[in-house]
Amino acid sequence: KQEVTQIPAALSVPEGENLVLNCSFTDSAIYNLQWFRQDPGKGLTSLLLIQSSQREQTSGRLNASLDKSSGRSTLYIAASQPGDSATYLCAVSQGGSEKLVFGKGTKLTVNP
Amino acid sequence: NAGVMQNPRHLVRRRGQEARLRCSPMKGHSHVYWYRQLPEEGLKFMVYLQKENIIDESGMPKERFSAEFPKEGPSILRIQQVVRGDSAAYFCASSPTLLTEGAFFGQGTRLTVV
Protein backbone atom coordinates (compact mmCIF):
# COMPACT_ATOMS: atom_id res chain seq x y z
CA LYS A 1 0.00 0.00 0.00
CA GLN A 2 1.44 3.33 -1.07
CA GLU A 3 2.06 5.84 1.70
CA VAL A 4 3.20 9.42 1.19
CA THR A 5 4.88 11.41 3.94
CA GLN A 6 5.68 15.10 3.92
CA ILE A 7 8.20 16.70 6.21
CA PRO A 8 8.04 19.13 7.89
CA ALA A 9 4.35 19.41 8.69
CA ALA A 10 4.74 23.15 9.17
CA LEU A 11 7.42 25.65 8.31
CA SER A 12 7.76 29.35 9.08
CA VAL A 13 10.45 31.40 7.33
CA PRO A 14 11.28 35.06 6.79
CA GLU A 15 10.66 36.57 3.40
CA GLY A 16 13.46 36.07 0.90
CA GLU A 17 14.65 32.70 2.16
CA ASN A 18 15.16 29.74 -0.11
CA LEU A 19 13.46 26.64 1.21
CA VAL A 20 12.97 22.96 0.57
CA LEU A 21 9.89 20.86 1.17
CA ASN A 22 10.25 17.11 1.32
CA CYS A 23 8.03 14.29 0.14
CA SER A 24 8.72 10.57 0.46
CA PHE A 25 6.76 7.58 -0.80
CA THR A 26 7.01 3.91 0.07
CA ASP A 27 6.39 2.27 -3.31
CA SER A 28 8.74 3.42 -6.05
CA ALA A 29 6.51 2.04 -8.84
CA ILE A 30 4.89 5.39 -9.49
CA TYR A 31 3.51 6.78 -12.72
CA ASN A 32 4.07 10.41 -11.84
CA LEU A 33 4.32 12.81 -8.93
CA GLN A 34 2.47 16.10 -8.64
CA TRP A 35 2.94 19.05 -6.30
CA PHE A 36 -0.09 21.14 -5.41
CA ARG A 37 -0.74 24.29 -3.47
CA GLN A 38 -3.83 24.68 -1.30
CA ASP A 39 -4.88 28.00 0.18
CA PRO A 40 -7.16 28.00 3.27
CA GLY A 41 -10.72 27.09 2.32
CA LYS A 42 -9.79 26.80 -1.34
CA GLY A 43 -9.15 24.12 -3.89
CA LEU A 44 -5.88 22.67 -5.11
CA THR A 45 -3.70 24.40 -7.65
CA SER A 46 -1.33 22.20 -9.60
CA LEU A 47 2.24 23.51 -9.42
CA LEU A 48 4.44 20.90 -11.05
CA LEU A 49 4.02 17.44 -12.55
CA ILE A 50 7.00 15.11 -12.82
CA GLN A 51 6.69 11.96 -14.87
CA SER A 52 8.46 8.86 -13.54
CA SER A 53 11.05 9.11 -16.31
CA GLN A 54 11.96 12.69 -15.40
CA ARG A 55 14.35 13.95 -12.75
CA GLU A 56 13.05 17.48 -12.26
CA GLN A 57 10.65 20.16 -13.39
CA THR A 58 10.91 23.93 -13.05
CA SER A 59 8.34 26.70 -13.09
CA GLY A 60 9.44 30.19 -12.17
CA ARG A 61 10.81 30.17 -8.62
CA LEU A 62 9.77 26.56 -8.11
CA ASN A 63 11.86 23.49 -8.82
CA ALA A 64 10.77 19.95 -8.08
CA SER A 65 13.08 16.96 -8.20
CA LEU A 66 12.27 13.27 -8.24
CA ASP A 67 14.43 10.34 -7.15
CA LYS A 68 12.15 7.42 -7.84
CA SER A 69 14.54 4.72 -6.68
CA SER A 70 14.85 6.24 -3.22
CA GLY A 71 11.21 7.28 -3.06
CA ARG A 72 11.82 10.98 -2.61
CA SER A 73 10.86 14.28 -4.10
CA THR A 74 11.75 17.80 -3.06
CA LEU A 75 10.10 21.10 -3.86
CA TYR A 76 12.53 23.99 -3.84
CA ILE A 77 11.14 27.51 -3.52
CA ALA A 78 13.56 30.31 -4.25
CA ALA A 79 13.35 33.79 -2.74
CA SER A 80 10.16 33.08 -0.82
CA GLN A 81 7.41 35.71 -0.63
CA PRO A 82 4.47 36.18 1.75
CA GLY A 83 2.19 35.21 -1.13
CA ASP A 84 3.78 31.76 -1.07
CA SER A 85 2.11 31.08 2.29
CA ALA A 86 -0.12 28.05 1.79
CA THR A 87 -0.21 24.30 2.32
CA TYR A 88 1.85 22.35 -0.19
CA LEU A 89 0.69 18.86 -1.06
CA CYS A 90 2.57 16.07 -2.74
CA ALA A 91 0.70 13.29 -4.54
CA VAL A 92 1.78 10.20 -6.46
CA SER A 93 -0.05 8.06 -8.96
CA GLN A 94 0.65 4.38 -9.29
CA GLY A 95 1.16 2.57 -12.54
CA GLY A 96 -2.05 0.75 -13.36
CA SER A 97 -4.13 2.83 -10.98
CA GLU A 98 -5.86 6.12 -11.47
CA LYS A 99 -5.71 7.04 -7.80
CA LEU A 100 -3.61 9.86 -6.46
CA VAL A 101 -2.18 9.16 -3.02
CA PHE A 102 -1.60 12.36 -1.09
CA GLY A 103 0.64 13.35 1.75
CA LYS A 104 -0.83 15.43 4.56
CA GLY A 105 1.00 18.50 3.37
CA THR A 106 3.46 21.09 4.62
CA LYS A 107 1.93 24.31 5.88
CA LEU A 108 4.26 27.14 4.86
CA THR A 109 4.18 30.61 6.37
CA VAL A 110 6.42 33.28 4.89
CA ASN A 111 6.72 36.26 7.19
CA PRO A 112 7.21 39.77 5.78
CA ASN B 1 -11.29 27.04 -20.96
CA ALA B 2 -13.02 27.07 -17.61
CA GLY B 3 -11.51 24.97 -14.87
CA VAL B 4 -13.19 22.16 -12.99
CA MET B 5 -16.46 23.56 -11.67
CA GLN B 6 -18.01 22.31 -8.48
CA ASN B 7 -21.26 23.37 -6.92
CA PRO B 8 -22.39 24.23 -4.45
CA ARG B 9 -19.29 25.62 -2.76
CA HIS B 10 -20.88 25.24 0.66
CA LEU B 11 -23.68 22.89 1.65
CA VAL B 12 -25.37 22.52 5.01
CA ARG B 13 -27.52 19.49 5.65
CA ARG B 14 -29.30 18.18 8.73
CA ARG B 15 -28.60 14.64 9.84
CA GLY B 16 -30.61 12.20 7.76
CA GLN B 17 -30.95 14.44 4.71
CA GLU B 18 -29.41 13.81 1.31
CA ALA B 19 -26.46 15.73 -0.10
CA ARG B 20 -25.82 16.09 -3.84
CA LEU B 21 -22.50 17.45 -4.99
CA ARG B 22 -21.93 18.36 -8.63
CA CYS B 23 -18.78 18.48 -10.70
CA SER B 24 -18.31 19.61 -14.28
CA PRO B 25 -14.89 18.57 -15.61
CA MET B 26 -12.69 20.74 -17.73
CA LYS B 27 -13.60 20.81 -21.40
CA GLY B 28 -12.12 17.83 -23.18
CA HIS B 29 -11.57 15.84 -19.98
CA SER B 30 -13.26 12.47 -19.83
CA HIS B 31 -11.88 11.23 -16.50
CA VAL B 32 -13.41 12.40 -13.23
CA TYR B 33 -12.21 11.66 -9.70
CA TRP B 34 -13.72 12.45 -6.31
CA TYR B 35 -11.63 12.96 -3.17
CA ARG B 36 -12.58 13.72 0.41
CA GLN B 37 -10.61 15.84 2.83
CA LEU B 38 -11.56 15.37 6.47
CA PRO B 39 -10.49 18.01 9.00
CA GLU B 40 -6.76 17.69 9.73
CA GLU B 41 -6.49 14.78 7.29
CA GLY B 42 -5.01 14.42 3.84
CA LEU B 43 -7.08 13.99 0.71
CA LYS B 44 -8.40 10.47 0.25
CA PHE B 45 -9.45 8.94 -3.05
CA MET B 46 -13.10 7.97 -3.28
CA VAL B 47 -14.04 7.09 -6.85
CA TYR B 48 -12.91 7.31 -10.46
CA LEU B 49 -15.41 7.59 -13.29
CA GLN B 50 -15.51 7.92 -17.02
CA LYS B 51 -18.64 8.79 -18.94
CA GLU B 52 -21.41 6.40 -17.86
CA ASN B 53 -18.94 4.10 -16.12
CA ILE B 54 -17.58 3.70 -12.62
CA ILE B 55 -14.02 2.52 -13.08
CA ASP B 56 -12.76 2.35 -9.50
CA GLU B 57 -14.87 2.91 -6.39
CA SER B 58 -12.50 1.30 -3.93
CA GLY B 59 -12.42 4.43 -1.76
CA MET B 60 -16.16 4.85 -1.43
CA PRO B 61 -17.87 3.93 1.82
CA LYS B 62 -19.98 0.83 1.24
CA GLU B 63 -23.23 2.42 2.29
CA ARG B 64 -25.00 5.73 1.63
CA PHE B 65 -22.47 6.99 -0.94
CA SER B 66 -22.88 6.77 -4.70
CA ALA B 67 -21.45 8.50 -7.75
CA GLU B 68 -22.37 8.85 -11.38
CA PHE B 69 -21.06 10.55 -14.50
CA PRO B 70 -23.87 10.49 -17.06
CA LYS B 71 -23.47 10.87 -20.79
CA GLU B 72 -24.80 14.40 -20.51
CA GLY B 73 -24.32 16.71 -17.56
CA PRO B 74 -22.06 16.87 -14.54
CA SER B 75 -20.77 14.12 -12.33
CA ILE B 76 -22.79 13.73 -9.14
CA LEU B 77 -21.62 12.51 -5.75
CA ARG B 78 -24.64 11.58 -3.69
CA ILE B 79 -24.64 11.01 0.06
CA GLN B 80 -27.83 9.64 1.54
CA GLN B 81 -28.87 9.99 5.17
CA VAL B 82 -25.91 12.18 6.06
CA VAL B 83 -24.27 11.91 9.48
CA ARG B 84 -21.96 14.35 11.27
CA GLY B 85 -18.93 12.31 10.23
CA ASP B 86 -19.66 13.13 6.59
CA SER B 87 -18.73 16.76 7.23
CA ALA B 88 -15.70 17.38 5.04
CA ALA B 89 -14.46 19.07 1.92
CA TYR B 90 -15.21 17.07 -1.22
CA PHE B 91 -13.00 17.74 -4.20
CA CYS B 92 -13.49 16.76 -7.79
CA ALA B 93 -10.63 16.44 -10.24
CA SER B 94 -10.51 15.76 -13.95
CA SER B 95 -7.86 14.75 -16.43
CA PRO B 96 -7.77 14.32 -20.20
CA THR B 97 -5.86 11.06 -20.28
CA LEU B 98 -4.56 8.43 -17.92
CA LEU B 99 -2.90 10.96 -15.64
CA THR B 100 -0.20 11.75 -18.19
CA GLU B 101 -1.10 15.39 -17.92
CA GLY B 102 -1.85 15.39 -14.23
CA ALA B 103 -5.11 16.05 -12.45
CA PHE B 104 -6.86 19.41 -12.23
CA PHE B 105 -8.95 20.09 -9.16
CA GLY B 106 -12.07 22.10 -8.51
CA GLN B 107 -12.58 24.49 -5.60
CA GLY B 108 -14.38 21.84 -3.59
CA THR B 109 -17.71 21.57 -1.83
CA ARG B 110 -17.62 22.02 1.92
CA LEU B 111 -20.34 19.89 3.46
CA THR B 112 -21.44 20.61 7.00
CA VAL B 113 -23.87 18.25 8.69
CA VAL B 114 -25.72 19.76 11.62
Side-chain angles (χ1 to χ4, degrees):
Chain A
K1 179 188 171 186
Q2 178 73 273
E3 292 183 2
V4 178
T5 303
Q6 290 188 246
I7 294 173
L11 181 64
S12 181
V13 300
E15 182 176 4
E17 261 200 22
N18 302 322
L19 55 100
V20 174
L21 308 181
N22 296 293
C23 171
S24 62
F25 46 94
T26 53
D27 185 345
S28 62
I30 65 169
Y31 197 69
N32 57 39
L33 182 145
Q34 202 164 355
W35 282 94
F36 295 90
R37 167 186 173 138
Q38 184 175 27
D39 292 280
K42 301 288 180 62
L44 280 69
T45 300
S46 180
L47 298 174
L48 290 164
L49 171 70
I50 310 178
Q51 301 295 346
S52 61
S53 58
Q54 297 175 322
R55 296 284 292 184
E56 66 178 339
Q57 283 287 339
T58 298
S59 175
R61 294 183 294 108
L62 305 179
N63 176 278
S65 67
L66 174 64
D67 184 343
K68 203 174 79 160
S69 60
S70 68
R72 295 177 190 276
S73 175
T74 60
L75 179 66
Y76 175 82
I77 302 176
S80 58
Q81 302 170 358
D84 295 331
S85 298
T87 296
Y88 290 81
L89 299 170
C90 166
V92 299
S93 66
Q94 298 288 131
S97 168
E98 288 293 317
K99 303 173 194 177
L100 283 176
V101 180
F102 282 84
K104 290 189 176 182
T106 294
K107 184 176 181 180
L108 172 66
T109 303
V110 181
N111 301 299
Chain B
N1 188 6
V4 179
M5 304 300 291
Q6 289 189 250
N7 67 81
R9 293 289 307 277
H10 299 274
L11 182 62
V12 179
R13 284 288 177 265
R14 296 185 185 278
R15 280 178 293 171
Q17 289 185 320
E18 178 179 286
R20 282 189 178 230
L21 288 62
R22 294 174 181 76
C23 168
S24 296
M26 288 180 70
K27 187 176 180 181
H29 289 194
S30 58
H31 302 248
V32 167
Y33 318 82
W34 286 92
Y35 288 80
R36 177 165 65 174
Q37 187 174 38
L38 293 165
E40 308 302 324
E41 294 288 326
L43 277 87
K44 302 293 185 186
F45 169 82
M46 298 182 76
V47 62
Y48 160 48
L49 310 102
Q50 294 182 23
K51 283 285 186 182
E52 298 185 278
N53 285 301
I54 298 174
I55 308 301
D56 182 352
E57 56 182 348
S58 59
M60 288 276 272
K62 294 289 186 285
E63 298 177 349
R64 301 188 297 108
F65 285 71
S66 62
E68 63 177 8
F69 189 15
K71 186 176 180 181
E72 301 290 338
S75 174
I76 306 287
L77 179 67
R78 182 182 177 204
I79 311 172
Q80 295 178 293
Q81 299 175 312
V82 296
V83 300
R84 289 237 171 98
D86 297 332
S87 295
Y90 292 83
F91 290 97
C92 171
S94 70
S95 71
T97 60
L98 296 174
L99 289 183
T100 55
E101 296 185 36
F104 298 85
F105 281 77
Q107 294 288 298
T109 293
R110 278 150 186 85
L111 172 66
T112 302
V113 180
V114 297

